[in-house]
Amino acid sequence: MKDIPVDLDRHRGMAAQKATDLRRAIAVVEAHVRELRERESDLENRMMTAPSASWPEAAVKTRHLLNLYTASLPSEDARHHALVTALFDDFARLGGDA
């Protein structure tokens, strides 16, 4: 008996190896997406429970909310995209890049 593990990837065809690599990559990406969603949920919970102590803190919360809104806009909605961009420019100008 041998204690050396068999490298099964060597015994499969190239298509099967690529499929396996793709499945592994997708699993890693899905794990990162889950982690990101959990972190974003934690951040949003903290934002909801702690009132802003200043206008710059309120602007940070607003910026996050506007980023979520902008991500949901269709790319054809140039008017709303431009409006959000103008508002971000106002935040930077008035709040020292809040």
Side-chain angles (χ1 to χ4, degrees), residues 56-90:
E57 286 183 19
V60 168
K61 290 180 181 182
T62 304
R63 183 181 300 271
H64 175 70
L65 186 60
L66 286 171
N67 280 326
L68 292 174
Y69 169 69
T70 302
S72 70
L73 287 175
S75 59
E76 302 85 35
D77 195 349
R79 181 182 169 130
H80 283 165
H81 281 283
L83 183 59
V84 170
T85 299
L87 185 56
F88 285 160
D89 291 343
D90 288 344

Side-chain angles (χ1 to χ4, degrees), residues 13-71:
M14 197 59 159
Q17 288 179 22
K18 287 182 179 181
T20 299
D21 291 343
L22 185 59
R23 281 193 306 276
R24 289 174 182 160
I26 288 171
V28 168
V29 169
E30 288 173 347
H32 287 161
V33 167
R34 276 191 303 277
E35 180 185 347
L36 180 60
R37 285 187 183 139
E38 290 170 3
R39 292 175 62 195
E40 185 176 44
S41 178
D42 180 51
L43 169 67
E44 290 171 353
N45 286 334
R46 289 188 297 162
M47 290 172 108
M48 284 189 291
T49 58
S52 299
S54 64
W55 282 109
E57 286 183 19
V60 168
K61 290 180 181 182
T62 304
R63 183 181 300 271
H64 175 70
L65 186 60
L66 286 171
N67 280 326
L68 292 174
Y69 169 69
T70 302

